[in-house]
Amino acid sequence: MRIFKFGGASVKDANGVRNVVNVLRITGFRDLGVVVSAMGKTTNALEEILARYQKNDNSYLKLIDKLYEQHNEIIVELEEVTDFINEDEVLRFRESGIKNILKGIIEALKGELLRNKTKNYSFLYDQVVSHGELISTKIVAAFLNACNIPVQWVDARELIKTDTKYRDAGVQWQETENTIKNISGSSFLTQGFIGSDDNGFTTTLGREGSDYTAAILAYCLDAESVTIWKDVPGVLNADPRVFQDTVLLEKIPYNEAIELAFYGASVIHPKTLQPLQRKSIPLHVKSFLNPKENGSTITHSNTLLPEIPCYIVRKNLIFLRVSSRDFSFIGEGNISEIFHELSEAKMQVGLLQNSAISFSICVEDKYSLINVLLSRLQERYDVSVVKNVALYTIRHYNGEKVSSIENEQQVLLKQRTQETLQVVVKQ
Ligand code: ASP
Ligand code: MG
C-alpha cells in the first residue's frame, strides 16, 4: 500500500483537482490511500467564521455562504469537459449528487454553530474547522470516481482515534491501528487533520496536521511509502525566497530532516517523521506539477545526497543577554531559573550560549509574552534586549556564503559546532 497526501494548495481550485486525476493516472492508483486537506485557504476562512461567531457577529453566516459559493464554483468548473476529462466522466460527476452533498455539509456547519452551547473554544474549533476537510474530500472523491479512479471515501474520524486534547489531539495508537485494519477495498480517500475522541466528537491534530495523518495511516497499514505532493520540486537546501541558487536534496536521512526542522526549516514536521522512521517507511516529497520527477526522499540513509550545506533562516526573533548584577558566575541554579521563566513565557529557544557572567539566548516570542518574561528576569538580572534579529543556521558548514550574511548585517553572536554554524544578526 502507498499513501499519498495532497495539501490545500494542490486542490485549491478545479485545475488542482483535475491535476490529482492526472497524477494518479501517471502513478497508478491500486492499493492507494489518499489523504486530502481542505481546499486552499479554507481552514483560515473557517477560523475567521469561528472568530466572528465568538464575537456574536452574525456576519459569520455570510462567510459560510461565501465558503459554499467558492466550493460550488469549483464543482461547476469541474463539470466542464477538458483535454483529459471526457463527457462521460463529467456526466458521472454531475450525477454523483455532489452539489447536494456540499449543501448538506454547509447546513450541518451552520447547525453546529446555531445549536452550540459549549464555552469550550478548542472543542468548538474542532467541530467547526473540520468541515473544510469533509467538503474537499467529498468533492475530490466524487471527481476521482467519475474519472474511473475508484476510491472509497472514508471518514477519518472512524480511523484516527485520539484523546480529548482538542486542537492538538494525541493519537491513541492501539485503537487507531485496530480501526484502520478494518478498511476494506483496494484504494481509499480520507481527510487529513481530523480524528475523533472516545465519545465520537471530532478532534484535530494541529494546523498543517494532514502530513501527520498520512504518516499515521502509513504506520498502521505498514505502507511501503508516503508521498507528499507539493508545489515545489521537493526539499531544497534553502528557502528560495531568501537564498539564491538552491539545490534539490535527493536523499535526506530521517535524523537530518528532524535536525533541519528543529533549526526552523519548513521541511516536514518531526511528529510526521517519527512513526515513519520507526517502521522505516520512506517519505517522498514530490511536485504535483511534475509527477514523474523523483523529488526528495527522506529515508534511512547515512548521509545527505548531495552532501551540501543547508541554509535556514528564522526572522523576527529576540536576542537577550542575561547577566548577573554583581559579576558573580552564572551557574546551574541561574540557568535553571532562566529556563523556568522561558518555559513559563512559552518562548522557543533558537540558540543559547553562556559565559562566566552572562547568558545569551535567541528566542521566538510566539505568544507575545516578552514583557512578562523581561519583568520576571529583571527582578534578579541585568537584561539587554535586541528585537528583530535573524538567526541563520548552516548545517554541514563549509565556509561559503557566510561572509555575505556577515558583511551585510551586524553580527550579534556566532556559534560553531562540528556540523553547524549559527549566526545571529540584526535584521
Ligand atoms: N487544513 C489544515 C490546515 O490548513 C490541515 C492541513 O492542511 O494540513 O492547517
Ligand atoms: Mg490546509
Side-chain angles (χ1 to χ4, degrees), residues 262-263 314 317 348-352 361-364 391 422:
F262 170 78
Y263 287 113
R314 286 174 70 184
L317 305 186
Q348 271 191 357
V349 178
L351 169 139
L352 50 98
I361 345 164
C362 206
V363 294
E364 182 175 350
L391 170 63
Q422 291 193 288

Side-chain angles (χ1 to χ4, degrees), residues 300-313:
H300 273 304
S301 63
N302 293 328
T303 49
L304 198 61
L305 188 78
E307 226 183 334
I308 49 167
C310 297
Y311 300 87
I312 303 146
V313 58

Side-chain angles (χ1 to χ4, degrees), residues 8 37-38 40 43 133 207-208:
S37 303
T43 306
E133 268 70 12
R207 284 301 306 263
E208 306 302 323

Side-chain angles (χ1 to χ4, degrees), residues 141-165:
F143 194 67
L144 294 184
N145 280 311
C147 293
N148 288 312
I149 298 178
V151 287
Q152 185 197 349
W153 181 90
V154 182
D155 190 328
R157 296 170 295 188
E158 279 162 24
L159 302 178
I160 312 272
K161 305 309 286 178
T162 73
D163 59 21
T164 55
K165 206 167 160 225

Side-chain angles (χ1 to χ4, degrees), residues 112 159 244 250 254 298 400:
E112 190 81 57
L159 302 178
Q244 293 170 343
E250 288 160 41
Y254 292 114
I298 302 172
E400 272 176 44

